[in-house]
Each structure stands twice: as structure tokens, then as C-alpha cells.
Short mmCIF file of all heavy atoms in Angstrom, two decimals:
data_model
loop_
_atom_site.label_atom_id
_atom_site.label_comp_id
_atom_site.label_asym_id
_atom_site.label_seq_id
_atom_site.Cartn_x
_atom_site.Cartn_y
_atom_site.Cartn_z
N VAL A 1 15.00 15.42 24.55
CA VAL A 1 15.85 14.91 25.61
C VAL A 1 15.89 13.39 25.48
O VAL A 1 14.86 12.74 25.39
CB VAL A 1 15.30 15.30 27.00
CG1 VAL A 1 16.11 14.66 28.10
CG2 VAL A 1 15.27 16.80 27.15
N LEU A 2 17.11 12.85 25.46
CA LEU A 2 17.28 11.42 25.32
C LEU A 2 17.08 10.71 26.66
O LEU A 2 17.44 11.24 27.71
CB LEU A 2 18.68 11.10 24.79
CG LEU A 2 19.05 11.64 23.42
CD1 LEU A 2 20.47 11.25 23.06
CD2 LEU A 2 18.08 11.15 22.37
N LYS A 3 16.51 9.52 26.60
CA LYS A 3 16.40 8.68 27.79
C LYS A 3 17.81 8.22 28.16
O LYS A 3 18.55 7.74 27.31
CB LYS A 3 15.51 7.48 27.52
CG LYS A 3 15.35 6.57 28.70
CD LYS A 3 14.46 5.39 28.37
CE LYS A 3 14.44 4.45 29.56
NZ LYS A 3 13.74 3.21 29.25
N ARG A 4 18.19 8.40 29.42
CA ARG A 4 19.54 8.06 29.86
C ARG A 4 19.50 7.06 31.01
O ARG A 4 18.62 7.09 31.85
CB ARG A 4 20.28 9.32 30.29
CG ARG A 4 20.45 10.31 29.16
CD ARG A 4 21.17 11.56 29.61
NE ARG A 4 21.13 12.58 28.60
CZ ARG A 4 21.95 12.66 27.57
NH1 ARG A 4 22.90 11.77 27.41
NH2 ARG A 4 21.84 13.62 26.69
N ASN A 5 20.52 6.19 30.99
CA ASN A 5 20.70 5.21 32.05
C ASN A 5 22.19 5.09 32.36
O ASN A 5 23.02 5.64 31.62
CB ASN A 5 20.17 3.83 31.63
CG ASN A 5 18.67 3.82 31.48
OD1 ASN A 5 17.95 4.21 32.39
ND2 ASN A 5 18.20 3.36 30.34
N GLN A 6 22.50 4.35 33.39
CA GLN A 6 23.89 4.06 33.71
C GLN A 6 24.04 2.57 33.93
O GLN A 6 23.09 1.89 34.28
CB GLN A 6 24.34 4.81 34.96
CG GLN A 6 24.47 6.30 34.76
CD GLN A 6 25.10 6.97 35.96
OE1 GLN A 6 24.79 6.65 37.09
NE2 GLN A 6 25.99 7.91 35.70
N ALA A 7 25.26 2.10 33.70
CA ALA A 7 25.60 0.70 33.95
C ALA A 7 27.03 0.68 34.44
O ALA A 7 27.79 1.64 34.27
CB ALA A 7 25.45 -0.12 32.67
N THR A 8 27.41 -0.43 35.04
CA THR A 8 28.79 -0.61 35.49
C THR A 8 29.27 -1.96 34.99
O THR A 8 28.54 -2.96 35.08
CB THR A 8 28.88 -0.56 37.03
OG1 THR A 8 28.35 0.68 37.48
CG2 THR A 8 30.32 -0.69 37.49
N ILE A 9 30.48 -1.98 34.44
CA ILE A 9 31.09 -3.22 33.98
C ILE A 9 32.47 -3.34 34.61
O ILE A 9 32.98 -2.38 35.19
CB ILE A 9 31.17 -3.28 32.44
CG1 ILE A 9 31.77 -2.00 31.84
CG2 ILE A 9 29.81 -3.48 31.82
CD1 ILE A 9 33.16 -2.18 31.43
N THR A 10 33.05 -4.52 34.49
CA THR A 10 34.38 -4.76 35.04
C THR A 10 35.35 -4.99 33.90
O THR A 10 35.11 -5.81 33.01
CB THR A 10 34.38 -5.98 35.97
OG1 THR A 10 33.45 -5.73 37.03
CG2 THR A 10 35.76 -6.22 36.56
N VAL A 11 36.44 -4.23 33.91
CA VAL A 11 37.50 -4.34 32.91
C VAL A 11 38.83 -4.42 33.64
O VAL A 11 39.11 -3.58 34.51
CB VAL A 11 37.49 -3.12 31.95
CG1 VAL A 11 38.67 -3.15 31.01
CG2 VAL A 11 36.19 -3.08 31.16
N LEU A 12 39.61 -5.43 33.32
CA LEU A 12 40.92 -5.62 33.94
C LEU A 12 40.82 -5.64 35.46
O LEU A 12 41.68 -5.14 36.18
CB LEU A 12 41.90 -4.54 33.47
CG LEU A 12 42.12 -4.45 31.96
CD1 LEU A 12 42.92 -3.21 31.61
CD2 LEU A 12 42.82 -5.70 31.45
N GLY A 13 39.71 -6.21 35.95
CA GLY A 13 39.50 -6.32 37.39
C GLY A 13 39.05 -5.04 38.07
O GLY A 13 38.96 -4.99 39.29
N GLU A 14 38.74 -4.01 37.30
CA GLU A 14 38.33 -2.71 37.84
C GLU A 14 36.95 -2.32 37.32
O GLU A 14 36.59 -2.65 36.18
CB GLU A 14 39.34 -1.63 37.44
CG GLU A 14 40.76 -1.90 37.87
CD GLU A 14 40.97 -1.85 39.37
OE1 GLU A 14 40.26 -1.10 40.04
OE2 GLU A 14 41.86 -2.56 39.86
N SER A 15 36.18 -1.60 38.12
CA SER A 15 34.85 -1.14 37.71
C SER A 15 34.92 0.12 36.86
O SER A 15 35.68 1.04 37.18
CB SER A 15 33.98 -0.86 38.93
OG SER A 15 33.71 -2.05 39.63
N ILE A 16 34.12 0.15 35.81
CA ILE A 16 34.00 1.32 34.95
C ILE A 16 32.52 1.60 34.75
O ILE A 16 31.75 0.71 34.38
CB ILE A 16 34.69 1.10 33.59
CG1 ILE A 16 36.20 0.95 33.78
CG2 ILE A 16 34.37 2.25 32.63
CD1 ILE A 16 36.97 0.69 32.50
N SER A 17 32.13 2.84 35.02
CA SER A 17 30.75 3.27 34.79
C SER A 17 30.56 3.59 33.31
O SER A 17 31.47 4.09 32.65
CB SER A 17 30.42 4.51 35.61
OG SER A 17 30.52 4.22 36.98
N LEU A 18 29.35 3.30 32.84
CA LEU A 18 28.98 3.61 31.46
C LEU A 18 27.77 4.52 31.47
O LEU A 18 26.86 4.35 32.29
CB LEU A 18 28.64 2.33 30.69
CG LEU A 18 29.70 1.26 30.61
CD1 LEU A 18 29.10 -0.02 30.03
CD2 LEU A 18 30.86 1.72 29.76
N LYS A 19 27.75 5.47 30.55
CA LYS A 19 26.57 6.30 30.35
C LYS A 19 25.86 5.75 29.11
O LYS A 19 26.49 5.55 28.07
CB LYS A 19 26.96 7.76 30.12
CG LYS A 19 27.61 8.40 31.32
CD LYS A 19 27.95 9.84 31.01
CE LYS A 19 29.45 9.99 31.13
NZ LYS A 19 29.92 11.32 30.80
N LEU A 20 24.57 5.52 29.24
CA LEU A 20 23.77 4.97 28.15
C LEU A 20 22.70 5.97 27.78
O LEU A 20 22.03 6.53 28.65
CB LEU A 20 23.12 3.66 28.57
CG LEU A 20 24.02 2.62 29.25
CD1 LEU A 20 23.19 1.49 29.80
CD2 LEU A 20 25.05 2.11 28.28
N ALA A 21 22.52 6.20 26.48
CA ALA A 21 21.48 7.09 26.01
C ALA A 21 20.76 6.43 24.84
O ALA A 21 21.41 5.88 23.94
CB ALA A 21 22.06 8.43 25.57
N VAL A 22 19.44 6.47 24.85
CA VAL A 22 18.65 5.88 23.77
C VAL A 22 18.24 7.01 22.84
O VAL A 22 17.56 7.96 23.25
CB VAL A 22 17.42 5.14 24.32
CG1 VAL A 22 16.61 4.55 23.19
CG2 VAL A 22 17.85 4.06 25.31
N ASN A 23 18.66 6.92 21.56
CA ASN A 23 18.33 7.96 20.60
C ASN A 23 16.92 7.76 20.06
O ASN A 23 16.28 6.74 20.35
CB ASN A 23 19.40 8.04 19.49
CG ASN A 23 19.42 6.82 18.59
OD1 ASN A 23 18.45 6.09 18.46
ND2 ASN A 23 20.55 6.59 17.96
N PRO A 24 16.39 8.72 19.28
CA PRO A 24 15.01 8.62 18.79
C PRO A 24 14.74 7.36 17.95
O PRO A 24 13.61 6.92 17.85
CB PRO A 24 14.84 9.88 17.95
CG PRO A 24 15.80 10.85 18.56
CD PRO A 24 16.98 10.02 18.97
N GLU A 25 15.79 6.78 17.35
CA GLU A 25 15.62 5.56 16.55
C GLU A 25 15.58 4.31 17.43
O GLU A 25 15.44 3.21 16.93
CB GLU A 25 16.76 5.43 15.52
CG GLU A 25 16.73 6.47 14.43
CD GLU A 25 17.28 7.82 14.86
OE1 GLU A 25 18.17 7.85 15.74
OE2 GLU A 25 16.81 8.84 14.34
N GLY A 26 15.78 4.47 18.73
CA GLY A 26 15.74 3.35 19.65
C GLY A 26 17.08 2.67 19.87
O GLY A 26 17.15 1.66 20.56
N GLU A 27 18.14 3.20 19.28
CA GLU A 27 19.47 2.63 19.45
C GLU A 27 20.12 3.20 20.71
O GLU A 27 19.95 4.36 21.04
CB GLU A 27 20.35 2.95 18.24
CG GLU A 27 19.82 2.36 16.96
CD GLU A 27 20.59 2.83 15.75
OE1 GLU A 27 21.11 3.98 15.78
OE2 GLU A 27 20.67 2.06 14.78
N THR A 28 20.87 2.34 21.39
CA THR A 28 21.55 2.77 22.61
C THR A 28 22.97 3.20 22.29
O THR A 28 23.72 2.48 21.66
CB THR A 28 21.59 1.62 23.64
OG1 THR A 28 20.26 1.23 23.93
CG2 THR A 28 22.29 2.05 24.92
N GLN A 29 23.31 4.41 22.72
CA GLN A 29 24.67 4.93 22.58
C GLN A 29 25.36 4.72 23.92
O GLN A 29 24.81 5.05 24.96
CB GLN A 29 24.65 6.41 22.21
CG GLN A 29 23.97 6.66 20.87
CD GLN A 29 23.83 8.15 20.58
OE1 GLN A 29 24.08 8.99 21.43
NE2 GLN A 29 23.43 8.45 19.37
N VAL A 30 26.58 4.17 23.87
CA VAL A 30 27.30 3.81 25.08
C VAL A 30 28.58 4.62 25.17
O VAL A 30 29.35 4.68 24.21
CB VAL A 30 27.65 2.30 25.08
CG1 VAL A 30 28.36 1.91 26.36
CG2 VAL A 30 26.41 1.46 24.85
N HIS A 31 28.81 5.24 26.34
CA HIS A 31 30.01 6.04 26.56
C HIS A 31 30.62 5.67 27.90
O HIS A 31 30.01 5.90 28.94
CB HIS A 31 29.67 7.54 26.54
CG HIS A 31 29.04 7.99 25.26
ND1 HIS A 31 29.77 8.31 24.16
CD2 HIS A 31 27.74 8.13 24.92
CE1 HIS A 31 28.96 8.64 23.18
NE2 HIS A 31 27.71 8.54 23.61
N PRO A 32 31.83 5.08 27.88
CA PRO A 32 32.50 4.79 29.15
C PRO A 32 32.85 6.09 29.88
O PRO A 32 33.17 7.10 29.24
CB PRO A 32 33.78 4.07 28.74
CG PRO A 32 33.59 3.65 27.33
CD PRO A 32 32.60 4.62 26.74
N GLU A 33 32.77 6.08 31.20
CA GLU A 33 33.13 7.25 32.00
C GLU A 33 34.63 7.48 31.90
O GLU A 33 35.43 6.63 32.25
CB GLU A 33 32.71 7.02 33.46
CG GLU A 33 32.90 8.22 34.34
CD GLU A 33 32.01 9.38 33.96
OE1 GLU A 33 30.80 9.17 33.75
OE2 GLU A 33 32.54 10.51 33.85
N PHE A 34 35.00 8.65 31.38
CA PHE A 34 36.41 8.96 31.11
C PHE A 34 37.27 8.83 32.36
O PHE A 34 38.34 8.22 32.33
CB PHE A 34 36.54 10.37 30.52
CG PHE A 34 37.96 10.74 30.22
CD1 PHE A 34 38.56 10.35 29.04
CD2 PHE A 34 38.70 11.48 31.13
CE1 PHE A 34 39.87 10.68 28.76
CE2 PHE A 34 40.02 11.82 30.87
CZ PHE A 34 40.60 11.42 29.67
N SER A 35 36.81 9.39 33.47
CA SER A 35 37.63 9.37 34.69
C SER A 35 37.88 7.96 35.19
O SER A 35 38.97 7.64 35.66
CB SER A 35 37.01 10.24 35.78
OG SER A 35 35.73 9.76 36.13
N ASP A 36 36.87 7.08 35.07
CA ASP A 36 37.05 5.68 35.46
C ASP A 36 38.08 5.00 34.56
O ASP A 36 38.95 4.27 35.03
CB ASP A 36 35.74 4.91 35.39
CG ASP A 36 34.72 5.33 36.44
OD1 ASP A 36 35.09 6.09 37.35
OD2 ASP A 36 33.57 4.88 36.34
N CYS A 37 37.98 5.23 33.26
CA CYS A 37 38.92 4.64 32.30
C CYS A 37 40.33 5.14 32.55
O CYS A 37 41.30 4.36 32.49
CB CYS A 37 38.49 4.94 30.87
SG CYS A 37 36.97 4.11 30.37
N LEU A 38 40.46 6.42 32.86
CA LEU A 38 41.78 6.99 33.13
C LEU A 38 42.40 6.34 34.37
O LEU A 38 43.58 5.98 34.37
CB LEU A 38 41.67 8.50 33.32
CG LEU A 38 42.97 9.25 33.58
CD1 LEU A 38 43.95 9.05 32.42
CD2 LEU A 38 42.70 10.72 33.81
N GLN A 39 41.61 6.16 35.41
CA GLN A 39 42.12 5.52 36.63
C GLN A 39 42.57 4.08 36.34
O GLN A 39 43.62 3.65 36.83
CB GLN A 39 41.05 5.52 37.72
CG GLN A 39 40.84 6.88 38.33
CD GLN A 39 39.76 6.86 39.41
OE1 GLN A 39 38.98 5.92 39.53
NE2 GLN A 39 39.73 7.92 40.20
N VAL A 40 41.80 3.34 35.55
CA VAL A 40 42.17 1.97 35.21
C VAL A 40 43.45 1.97 34.38
O VAL A 40 44.35 1.16 34.62
CB VAL A 40 41.02 1.25 34.47
CG1 VAL A 40 41.47 -0.11 33.95
CG2 VAL A 40 39.82 1.08 35.39
N ALA A 41 43.55 2.89 33.44
CA ALA A 41 44.75 2.97 32.60
C ALA A 41 45.99 3.26 33.44
O ALA A 41 47.03 2.62 33.27
CB ALA A 41 44.56 4.05 31.53
N GLU A 42 45.86 4.20 34.35
CA GLU A 42 47.00 4.55 35.20
C GLU A 42 47.38 3.40 36.13
O GLU A 42 48.56 3.13 36.36
CB GLU A 42 46.69 5.81 36.01
CG GLU A 42 46.65 7.06 35.15
CD GLU A 42 46.18 8.30 35.90
OE1 GLU A 42 45.60 8.17 37.01
OE2 GLU A 42 46.39 9.40 35.37
N LYS A 43 46.39 2.71 36.66
CA LYS A 43 46.64 1.62 37.61
C LYS A 43 47.26 0.40 36.93
O LYS A 43 48.11 -0.27 37.51
CB LYS A 43 45.34 1.23 38.30
CG LYS A 43 45.51 0.19 39.38
CD LYS A 43 44.22 -0.03 40.13
CE LYS A 43 44.42 -1.04 41.25
NZ LYS A 43 43.20 -1.22 42.04
N THR A 44 46.81 0.11 35.69
CA THR A 44 47.22 -1.13 35.01
C THR A 44 48.35 -0.93 34.01
O THR A 44 48.96 -1.91 33.59
CB THR A 44 46.03 -1.76 34.28
OG1 THR A 44 45.58 -0.86 33.24
CG2 THR A 44 44.90 -2.09 35.23
N GLY A 45 48.58 0.31 33.58
CA GLY A 45 49.59 0.57 32.56
C GLY A 45 49.08 0.32 31.14
O GLY A 45 49.84 0.41 30.18
N VAL A 46 47.79 0.01 31.01
CA VAL A 46 47.19 -0.19 29.69
C VAL A 46 46.81 1.18 29.14
O VAL A 46 46.28 2.02 29.87
CB VAL A 46 45.94 -1.10 29.81
CG1 VAL A 46 45.21 -1.24 28.49
CG2 VAL A 46 46.34 -2.48 30.35
N PRO A 47 47.08 1.43 27.85
CA PRO A 47 46.73 2.74 27.27
C PRO A 47 45.24 3.07 27.44
O PRO A 47 44.38 2.18 27.37
CB PRO A 47 47.08 2.58 25.78
CG PRO A 47 48.12 1.51 25.76
CD PRO A 47 47.74 0.56 26.88
N LEU A 48 44.97 4.36 27.69
CA LEU A 48 43.61 4.82 27.92
C LEU A 48 42.66 4.41 26.79
O LEU A 48 41.56 3.92 27.04
CB LEU A 48 43.60 6.35 28.08
CG LEU A 48 42.24 7.01 28.23
CD1 LEU A 48 41.49 6.48 29.45
CD2 LEU A 48 42.40 8.51 28.31
N LYS A 49 43.08 4.60 25.56
CA LYS A 49 42.23 4.26 24.42
C LYS A 49 41.86 2.77 24.45
O LYS A 49 40.72 2.40 24.18
CB LYS A 49 42.93 4.60 23.11
CG LYS A 49 42.08 4.38 21.88
CD LYS A 49 42.77 4.89 20.65
CE LYS A 49 41.89 4.70 19.43
NZ LYS A 49 42.50 5.25 18.22
N LYS A 50 42.80 1.92 24.80
CA LYS A 50 42.56 0.48 24.88
C LYS A 50 41.57 0.17 26.00
O LYS A 50 40.68 -0.67 25.83
CB LYS A 50 43.88 -0.26 25.10
CG LYS A 50 43.73 -1.75 25.17
CD LYS A 50 43.32 -2.33 23.84
CE LYS A 50 43.33 -3.86 23.90
NZ LYS A 50 42.88 -4.46 22.65
N VAL A 51 41.70 0.83 27.15
CA VAL A 51 40.77 0.62 28.25
C VAL A 51 39.36 0.99 27.82
O VAL A 51 38.40 0.25 28.09
CB VAL A 51 41.18 1.42 29.51
CG1 VAL A 51 40.10 1.36 30.58
CG2 VAL A 51 42.51 0.92 30.05
N MET A 52 39.21 2.10 27.10
CA MET A 52 37.89 2.53 26.63
C MET A 52 37.33 1.51 25.65
O MET A 52 36.13 1.19 25.69
CB MET A 52 37.97 3.93 26.03
CG MET A 52 38.33 4.97 27.08
SD MET A 52 38.40 6.65 26.46
CE MET A 52 36.69 7.10 26.67
N GLN A 53 38.17 0.99 24.76
CA GLN A 53 37.73 -0.03 23.82
C GLN A 53 37.30 -1.31 24.55
O GLN A 53 36.28 -1.91 24.20
CB GLN A 53 38.84 -0.35 22.82
CG GLN A 53 39.10 0.77 21.84
CD GLN A 53 40.35 0.53 20.99
OE1 GLN A 53 41.20 -0.30 21.30
NE2 GLN A 53 40.46 1.28 19.90
N LEU A 54 38.08 -1.70 25.54
CA LEU A 54 37.74 -2.89 26.32
C LEU A 54 36.41 -2.71 27.05
O LEU A 54 35.61 -3.65 27.15
CB LEU A 54 38.85 -3.21 27.33
CG LEU A 54 40.16 -3.73 26.75
CD1 LEU A 54 41.25 -3.77 27.82
CD2 LEU A 54 39.97 -5.10 26.12
N ALA A 55 36.17 -1.52 27.56
CA ALA A 55 34.91 -1.24 28.26
C ALA A 55 33.73 -1.38 27.30
O ALA A 55 32.72 -2.01 27.65
CB ALA A 55 34.94 0.16 28.87
N LEU A 56 33.85 -0.83 26.11
CA LEU A 56 32.78 -0.95 25.13
C LEU A 56 32.59 -2.41 24.72
O LEU A 56 31.46 -2.89 24.60
CB LEU A 56 33.09 -0.09 23.90
CG LEU A 56 33.00 1.42 24.14
CD1 LEU A 56 33.55 2.17 22.93
CD2 LEU A 56 31.56 1.83 24.43
N HIS A 57 33.68 -3.10 24.50
CA HIS A 57 33.61 -4.50 24.11
C HIS A 57 32.93 -5.33 25.20
O HIS A 57 32.07 -6.18 24.91
CB HIS A 57 35.01 -5.04 23.83
CG HIS A 57 35.05 -6.45 23.37
ND1 HIS A 57 34.06 -7.36 23.60
CD2 HIS A 57 35.98 -7.14 22.68
CE1 HIS A 57 34.37 -8.53 23.09
NE2 HIS A 57 35.53 -8.42 22.53
N GLU A 58 33.28 -5.10 26.44
CA GLU A 58 32.68 -5.83 27.55
C GLU A 58 31.18 -5.57 27.62
O GLU A 58 30.38 -6.50 27.81
CB GLU A 58 33.35 -5.46 28.88
CG GLU A 58 32.77 -6.16 30.08
CD GLU A 58 32.94 -7.67 30.07
OE1 GLU A 58 33.84 -8.17 29.36
OE2 GLU A 58 32.16 -8.35 30.77
N TYR A 59 30.78 -4.32 27.48
CA TYR A 59 29.35 -3.99 27.49
C TYR A 59 28.63 -4.71 26.36
O TYR A 59 27.58 -5.34 26.56
CB TYR A 59 29.13 -2.48 27.39
CG TYR A 59 27.67 -2.14 27.26
CD1 TYR A 59 26.84 -2.12 28.39
CD2 TYR A 59 27.10 -1.88 26.02
CE1 TYR A 59 25.50 -1.84 28.28
CE2 TYR A 59 25.75 -1.60 25.91
CZ TYR A 59 24.95 -1.58 27.03
OH TYR A 59 23.60 -1.32 26.92
N MET A 60 29.21 -4.63 25.15
CA MET A 60 28.58 -5.26 23.99
C MET A 60 28.47 -6.77 24.17
O MET A 60 27.46 -7.37 23.82
CB MET A 60 29.37 -4.94 22.73
CG MET A 60 29.36 -3.46 22.35
SD MET A 60 27.72 -2.85 21.95
CE MET A 60 27.54 -3.59 20.34
N SER A 61 29.50 -7.40 24.72
CA SER A 61 29.46 -8.85 24.90
C SER A 61 28.41 -9.24 25.95
O SER A 61 27.78 -10.29 25.83
CB SER A 61 30.83 -9.41 25.26
OG SER A 61 31.26 -8.97 26.51
N GLN A 62 28.19 -8.39 26.93
CA GLN A 62 27.15 -8.65 27.93
C GLN A 62 25.75 -8.47 27.35
O GLN A 62 24.82 -9.16 27.72
CB GLN A 62 27.32 -7.74 29.15
CG GLN A 62 28.49 -8.11 30.02
CD GLN A 62 28.61 -7.21 31.23
OE1 GLN A 62 27.72 -6.42 31.54
NE2 GLN A 62 29.73 -7.31 31.93
N GLN A 63 25.61 -7.51 26.44
CA GLN A 63 24.29 -7.20 25.87
C GLN A 63 23.95 -8.07 24.68
O GLN A 63 22.78 -8.25 24.36
CB GLN A 63 24.23 -5.72 25.45
CG GLN A 63 24.42 -4.76 26.59
CD GLN A 63 23.38 -4.97 27.68
OE1 GLN A 63 22.18 -5.01 27.44
NE2 GLN A 63 23.86 -5.16 28.91
N GLY A 64 24.97 -8.53 23.96
CA GLY A 64 24.74 -9.29 22.75
C GLY A 64 24.59 -8.36 21.56
O GLY A 64 24.11 -7.24 21.69
N GLU A 65 25.03 -8.79 20.44
CA GLU A 65 25.00 -7.95 19.23
C GLU A 65 23.60 -7.64 18.77
O GLU A 65 23.37 -6.69 18.05
CB GLU A 65 25.79 -8.65 18.11
CG GLU A 65 27.27 -8.75 18.37
CD GLU A 65 27.96 -7.39 18.46
OE1 GLU A 65 27.52 -6.44 17.78
OE2 GLU A 65 28.93 -7.28 19.20
N SER A 66 22.61 -8.39 19.17
CA SER A 66 21.24 -8.19 18.68
C SER A 66 20.51 -7.04 19.37
O SER A 66 19.39 -6.73 19.01
CB SER A 66 20.43 -9.46 18.86
OG SER A 66 20.31 -9.79 20.22
N SER A 67 21.15 -6.38 20.35
CA SER A 67 20.45 -5.33 21.10
C SER A 67 20.36 -4.01 20.34
O SER A 67 19.65 -3.12 20.76
CB SER A 67 21.15 -5.09 22.43
OG SER A 67 22.41 -4.49 22.22
N GLY A 68 21.11 -3.86 19.23
CA GLY A 68 21.09 -2.60 18.50
C GLY A 68 21.99 -1.55 19.11
O GLY A 68 21.92 -0.40 18.76
N SER A 69 22.85 -1.93 20.05
CA SER A 69 23.74 -0.97 20.69
C SER A 69 24.81 -0.51 19.72
O SER A 69 25.23 -1.26 18.85
CB SER A 69 24.41 -1.61 21.90
OG SER A 69 23.43 -1.96 22.84
N GLN A 70 25.25 0.73 19.92
CA GLN A 70 26.31 1.28 19.10
C GLN A 70 27.37 1.86 19.96
O GLN A 70 27.09 2.40 21.02
CB GLN A 70 25.75 2.38 18.17
CG GLN A 70 24.83 1.83 17.12
CD GLN A 70 24.59 2.86 16.04
OE1 GLN A 70 25.06 3.99 16.12
NE2 GLN A 70 23.85 2.48 15.05
N GLU A 71 28.62 1.79 19.46
CA GLU A 71 29.77 2.34 20.19
C GLU A 71 30.02 3.76 19.72
O GLU A 71 30.73 3.99 18.76
CB GLU A 71 31.00 1.49 19.92
CG GLU A 71 30.82 0.05 20.31
CD GLU A 71 32.00 -0.79 19.92
OE1 GLU A 71 33.05 -0.23 19.59
OE2 GLU A 71 31.87 -2.01 19.93
N ASN A 72 29.42 4.72 20.37
CA ASN A 72 29.64 6.13 19.99
C ASN A 72 30.27 6.87 21.10
O ASN A 72 30.02 6.84 22.19
CB ASN A 72 28.32 6.79 19.61
CG ASN A 72 27.77 6.26 18.30
OD1 ASN A 72 28.50 5.65 17.51
ND2 ASN A 72 26.51 6.47 18.08
#
């Protein structure tokens, strides 16, 4: 069982929840909450895929590249 956490970031002025899981190698896998991304996409007119990418980018920029995080 992977250790799991949650985080919240702001993208395009809207909150998006993230699911975080630490794999056995100690790397953090980050997954934006689909329903949050969909709501932001519908509200802003930005494509869903782009909102998900922005969410991952925002998380990574907050954590810094040295954290070992991966966008999976």
C-alpha cells in the first residue's frame, strides 16, 4: 500500500485538489483531481488536458525540481 497525501493548488484562479502517492522508490506520483480540472476547464474555456498540465506544472514549481516528483 502506497503512502498517500492530498494537496490543493490554484490554477487559473481556481482550486484543484491533487492526489499524491509515494512509491517504494520514494518518488511522489502526482494526479490532479479529474472533477476539479473538468470544472475549471468548463468555467474558463481552457481545454481539460491543458488544465491538468497546468495543475501538474504548478505543483512542480511549488515543490521544486529537486523533490523527485514525477508527473504520472
Side-chain angles (χ1 to χ4, degrees):
V1 175
L2 299 179
K3 180 181 175 187
R4 298 179 190 277
N5 292 308
Q6 289 188 319
T8 303
I9 49 103
T10 301
V11 174
L12 302 171
E14 303 292 330
S15 294
I16 295 178
S17 297
L18 302 170
K19 295 181 242 177
L20 312 171
V22 180
N23 67 23
E25 292 79 30
E27 297 173 330
T28 301
Q29 298 174 351
V30 182
H31 302 277
E33 186 65 48
F34 180 83
S35 61
D36 291 350
C37 291
L38 182 60
Q39 287 180 345
V40 172
E42 289 174 344
K43 185 173 182 177
T44 63
V46 175
L48 175 60
K49 185 173 182 177
K50 181 68 174 177
V51 171
M52 295 182 87
Q53 290 171 343
L54 289 170
L56 290 170
H57 182 338
E58 179 64 22
Y59 174 80
M60 295 296 285
S61 66
Q62 287 181 10
Q63 299 302 309
E65 293 297 328
S66 63
S67 69
S69 297
Q70 292 194 357
E71 302 174 14
N72 289 343

